[in-house]
Amino acid sequence: MNAHNKPNAPVLDSYWMPFTANRQFKAAPRLLASAEGMYYTSADGRKVLDGTAGLWCVNAGHGRRQIASAVERQLTQLDFAPSFQMGHPIAFDFAERLAEIAPGPEGAKLDRVFYTGSGSESVDTALKMAIAYQRAIGQGTRTRLIGRERGYHGVGFGGISVGGILNNRRVFPQLNGSDHLRHTHDLSKNAFVKGMPEHGAELADDLERLVALHGAETIAACIVEPVAGSTGVLIPPKGYLEKLRAICDKHGILLIFDEVITGFGRLGAGFATDYFGVTPDLVTTAKGLTNGAIPMGAVFSSRKVHDALMHGPENAIELFHGYTYSGHPAACAAGIATLDIYRDEGLLTRAVELQDDWHAAMHSLKGLPHVIDIRTIGLIAGIELAPRDGAVGARAYDVFVDCFEKGLLIRVTGDIIAFSPPLIAEKKHFEDIVSILGDALKRAA
């Protein structure tokens, strides 16, 4: 008898669940007991098709024995070792492997890797790196951080300060000096688009407005998700990221891409940086880094940022920052095994093969009740529903529960349904997703 095969239902009281309506959930719990390939098995024995790669993270599918075996071997050899003024070989081995596929073009890859424990930690790390960089080059007045409306950058105080989703911020104080670009979502011009919208590149000029308001000499960095995920799949307009990069260069502002969701094959390239051909100064990652098997994150830094801090006495710590679990041996083992799978099965580019069928399947839902927009890119989709009067999010939540009961896991944010299936998906899985979701939409009031 193991922890996943108990004869009695678990007691739910003690666990305070994250991002969950706890009382509602515990009145009618949805429990997943095991997983393999494209499917979960619920606690009551039903197969549930995973339409979200867990939580945007299980890119290679569930139950990969190669990862589990690598973690087991590492735990029996070296379960933990400190990373402060010490090291262990596998952390350096993993960093070298990551450097080989790092975002950016040849000769300008962001190939200096700093380990964290999550996407939230990666974001706060990158923000601190940006401020430290500006100080190191004699620009110590640059402490302001610019995010974007509807952006999600984790739940640290830095992340919620540059994030732009109201409920993540409303009861918590934010860092002084943060500000936000306007978001790029425009249903009036860009509804039902496959790939990048035609309209909206000029919204990048909002950074010029903030420079005029605050002064470039106060701004350290601008952080955006290349494709905003948690807010409901907002895809950048054509030319938008290029303009943002040019404005940052003009004013000495570092550009950070939050690729916690888009990293490791989600768009059909290793990173959104490569997919869009726009190279930032720092890239934050997590999720697909270890296929979700062990919590881990990483920040990819340009050599410009890294090398600017490698000055002063050799015995001086260059960046007073880090975590107990930075470069955890078992997480590194999971990461190396994950990279092996991505390489051997061609998963970092597989979304290119799948995207035509994926986009066609998702857009076939156009015209169903309450569907006001469908947007797709790579192996991602967002389906926006008209909200009920006075009950924003209720319709999508009901569809979410309906789909789960019929054998499909979807993710909802407000009244937007988000999909990001594992990169091992086949056309038949897309057909099942459309069938189950389509029926649920027809039943939704």
Side-chain angles (χ1 to χ4, degrees):
M1 189 68 65
N2 63 45
H4 303 291
N5 191 26
K6 293 182 178 179
N8 300 312
V11 176
L12 307 179
D13 294 345
S14 297
Y15 179 24
W16 189 347
M17 299 171 66
F19 280 116
T20 299
N22 278 252
R23 291 163 295 171
Q24 181 184 59
F25 176 89
K26 291 173 183 179
R30 296 170 294 277
L31 300 175
L32 303 171
S34 62
E36 187 75 22
M38 286 289 298
Y39 294 88
Y40 284 106
T41 300
S42 66
D44 57 358
R46 296 179 300 106
K47 291 291 185 184
V48 179
L49 176 59
D50 185 0
T52 61
L55 198 59
W56 306 87
C57 52
V58 188
N59 291 356
H62 296 277
R64 300 304 296 242
R65 302 293 187 269
Q66 188 172 341
I67 299 174
S69 296
V71 171
E72 180 183 22
R73 287 193 303 271
Q74 184 58 48
L75 286 173
T76 58
Q77 178 181 339
L78 178 66
D79 55 351
F80 177 82
S83 291
F84 300 175
Q85 305 286 19
M86 294 292 297
H88 50 276
I90 196 169
F92 295 94
D93 294 343
F94 187 29
E96 285 301 302
R97 290 288 303 276
L98 289 170
E100 292 172 3
I101 64 163
E106 290 300 326
K109 285 185 174 293
L110 280 61
D111 59 1
R112 295 297 182 259
V113 180
F114 192 103
Y115 295 123
T116 72
S118 67
S120 293
E121 290 181 3
S122 290
V123 166
D124 279 17
T125 297
L127 297 177
K128 290 173 76 173
M129 285 178 173
I131 292 172
Y133 165 81
Q134 298 288 9
R135 185 180 181 90
I137 64 168
Q139 297 289 312
T141 60
R142 291 181 180 263
T143 59
R144 191 177 303 277
L145 301 166
I146 305 298
R148 187 169 58 187
E149 295 172 357
R150 297 189 65 171
Y152 179 74
H153 301 293
V155 295
F157 278 103
I160 65 169
S161 298
V162 293
I165 298 177
L166 176 62
N167 283 339
N168 293 336
R169 297 159 47 91
R170 68 191 320 156
V171 301
F172 307 110
Q174 281 101 60
L175 300 179
N176 290 331
S178 58
D179 208 337
H180 298 78
L181 308 171
R182 288 177 293 168
H183 66 74
T184 62
H185 190 38
D186 188 346
L187 273 178
S188 67
K189 295 180 179 177
N190 294 324
F192 297 100
V193 170
K194 298 177 183 178
M196 301 175 71
E198 293 289 338
H199 305 283
E202 71 281 356
L203 291 167
D205 292 332
D206 211 32
L207 184 55
E208 290 280 17
R209 178 182 65 84
L210 295 181
V211 168
L213 175 64
H214 299 297
E217 73 279 2
T218 71
I219 302 175
C222 176
I223 181 170
V224 296
E225 300 160 275
V227 176
S230 294
T231 194
V233 185
L234 305 187
I235 300 165
K238 292 178 180 177
Y240 174 85
L241 295 175
E242 289 88 344
K243 290 194 75 170
L244 205 57
R245 174 73 274 183
I247 295 168
C248 286
D249 287 341
K250 174 183 175 183
H251 295 291
I253 300 167
L254 292 187
L255 180 60
I256 304 170
F257 279 178
D258 185 340
E259 293 219 41
V260 170
I261 282 175
T262 54
F264 303 101
R266 183 50 53 190
L267 299 181
F271 300 87
T273 294
D274 306 309
Y275 180 90
F276 293 116
V278 178
T279 305
D281 301 288
L282 296 162
V283 165
T284 65
T285 66
K287 295 188 184 291
L289 181 66
T290 62
N291 201 46
I294 297 223
M296 192 182 202
V299 177
F300 290 81
S301 170
S302 66
R303 295 195 184 186
K304 177 182 80 171
V305 173
H306 171 271
D307 292 352
L309 297 176
M310 298 298 138
H311 295 289
E314 289 191 0
N315 65 337
I317 295 173
E318 295 94 358
L319 180 66
F320 274 83
H321 178 71
Y323 303 96
T324 297
Y325 298 115
S326 291
H328 190 284
C332 290
I336 290 173
T338 297
L339 292 188
D340 288 343
I341 292 170
Y342 290 160
R343 178 198 61 204
D344 296 344
E345 299 182 14
L347 295 184
L348 294 184
T349 56
R350 190 161 188 268
V352 173
E353 305 167 26
L354 298 171
Q355 63 185 3
D356 288 348
D357 288 336
W358 173 246
H359 295 185
M362 291 293 99
H363 283 271
S364 72
L365 296 165
K366 182 179 180 180
L368 289 186
H370 315 299
V371 175
I372 61 174
D373 190 23
I374 299 171
R375 36 194 184 266
T376 54
I377 190 169
L379 207 60
I380 306 176
I383 301 171
E384 187 160 353
L385 308 181
R388 292 176 184 153
D389 290 342
V392 173
R395 176 172 284 131
Y397 178 81
D398 286 349
V399 172
F400 161 70
V401 173
D402 190 343
C403 284
F404 180 76
E405 291 174 349
K406 300 300 186 296
L408 171 65
L409 179 64
I410 67 176
R411 173 160 169 71
V412 296
T413 174
D415 276 297
I416 301 169
I417 299 166
F419 283 104
S420 56
L423 302 175
I424 62 169
E426 303 285 351
K427 186 176 180 180
K428 64 180 180 179
H429 300 120
F430 304 160
E431 294 168 350
D432 289 343
I433 288 172
V434 166
S435 176
I436 296 171
L437 176 60
D439 289 344
L441 289 170
K442 293 172 186 175
R443 287 189 289 268

